[in-house]
Amino acid sequence: MTDPATANEDILYEVRDGIATVTFNRPQARNAFTFAMYERLAEICAEVDQERSIRAMVLTGAGGKAFAAGTDISQFRAFDTPEDALGYESRIDRVLGALESCRVPTIAAIAGACTGGGAGIAGCCDLRIAAGNARFGLPIARTLGNCLSMSNYSRFADLIGSARLKEMIFTARLIEAPEALAIGLVNEVVEDPANLMTRAEELAKTVASHAPLTLQACKEALRRLRPTIPRGEGDDLILKCYMSRDFREGMDAFLNKRAPNFTGE
């Protein structure tokens, strides 16, 4: 398990001229998230909510090859009980909920891989800008054989529609930047990754100059329009997947760099 202190190095946070910048800083691991990193992201959202001088927040990944490639798979080695599975998805829901409801406009500046939990983080942001090399996906049917929480299904269905979400998960393919723009997964594509942060900062300054309460009201109104999911809804689906032999097989295959043999058990 990653030490919480390490998360301060794995997620860089700075504020300049009213713009907060969050950088996922594990390029050697394609910025895959440890559990401590998820907690640090939630802490940052709380800090931004309290600091009234902050007017916008940009989230990005270090290295240019990944925004975030989901959760670090090694974190799942200790999963033994139903409580482990439910606790993990509950943690993700809590952290992503904190990001989604953050007081200020949030902008995901995405280069390279944006997959799994990384796609979940980007999906919680208010605006998404992609570099030309960005690729998006939820390849869980090909990799681990796990599932999303009900909140994440709802969030992605709201973003791109149920039909496209099914196609994304069923095929486990990665969506290139032009298609992501066409289906509304991102708002804008900046072809050259070297120009991505310049454009993200420019957009952040634009929204930061606008009436904060108007933007907050818009964020909250649209969040309230989504169906409210009762607590515990979908726990049976989480347990079906995370407690399965297939999940164990998927995790072992991933860590040992081989193709999984899923049996539906």
Side-chain angles (χ1 to χ4, degrees):
M1 192 70 67
T2 303
D3 189 302
T6 308
N8 291 321
E9 301 173 2
D10 292 340
I11 294 186
L12 306 180
Y13 173 58
E14 66 171 339
V15 179
R16 187 173 64 251
D17 299 327
I19 308 297
T21 302
V22 177
T23 305
F24 311 139
N25 190 40
R26 296 185 75 213
Q28 75 283 1
R30 299 172 75 221
N31 299 322
F33 263 59
T34 62
F35 293 165
M37 288 172 68
Y38 281 115
E39 295 301 333
R40 178 59 183 144
L41 180 57
E43 290 175 0
I44 290 171
C45 290
E47 291 176 28
V48 170
D49 281 340
Q50 292 298 315
E51 181 49 68
R52 308 306 293 184
S53 65
I54 297 175
R55 301 288 291 270
M57 178 163 64
V58 176
L59 296 89
T60 195
K65 294 184 178 179
F67 176 75
T71 300
D72 189 322
I73 304 304
S74 65
Q75 302 282 279
F76 293 124
R77 288 184 185 274
F79 272 38
D80 291 317
T81 68
E83 290 73 24
D84 291 329
L86 295 176
Y88 168 70
E89 287 295 345
S90 177
R91 181 201 301 263
I92 299 302
D93 276 348
R94 173 171 51 80
V95 173
L96 296 193
L99 175 58
E100 186 175 45
S101 61
C102 188
R103 176 182 60 81
V104 304
T106 53
I107 300 167
I110 303 159
C114 181
T115 54
I121 290 169
C124 286
C125 291
D126 300 309
L127 301 171
R128 283 162 295 282
I129 302 177
N133 68 343
R135 296 187 302 162
F136 303 82
L138 299 166
I140 52 179
R142 175 168 50 82
T143 54
L144 292 187
N146 58 330
C147 66
L148 307 182
S149 70
M150 291 293 289
S151 294
N152 271 317
Y153 283 120
S154 175
R155 190 176 289 117
F156 277 110
D158 186 62
L159 189 60
I160 61 173
S162 296
R164 285 198 176 99
L165 177 57
K166 282 183 182 179
E167 193 266 347
M168 184 189 293
I169 293 177
F170 285 16
T171 65
R173 73 184 181 90
L174 299 185
I175 294 174
E176 305 287 340
E179 183 181 357
L181 179 64
I183 67 175
L185 189 55
V186 300
N187 305 96
E188 183 179 338
V189 173
V190 178
E191 195 57 40
D192 187 348
N195 297 328
L196 177 65
M197 285 305 293
T198 298
R199 174 57 187 143
E201 290 166 3
E202 182 181 85
L203 182 58
K205 289 177 182 177
T206 296
V207 298
S209 71
H210 295 158
L213 297 183
T214 299
L215 305 186
Q216 290 170 33
C218 178
K219 288 181 61 154
E220 181 60 16
L222 294 175
R223 189 186 68 81
R224 292 185 190 184
L225 282 173
R226 284 213 317 268
T228 300
I229 300 171
R231 185 177 181 85
E233 182 67 39
D235 284 0
D236 58 324
L237 304 178
I238 292 170
L239 294 178
K240 175 185 287 189
C241 292
Y242 280 93
M243 293 294 101
S244 68
R245 292 180 182 176
D246 273 357
F247 180 71
R248 291 289 171 189
E249 166 64 11
M251 181 169 55
D252 184 75
F254 187 94
L255 293 173
N256 288 287
K257 296 180 170 52
R258 62 176 177 83
N261 179 27
F262 293 129
T263 64
E265 298 178 341

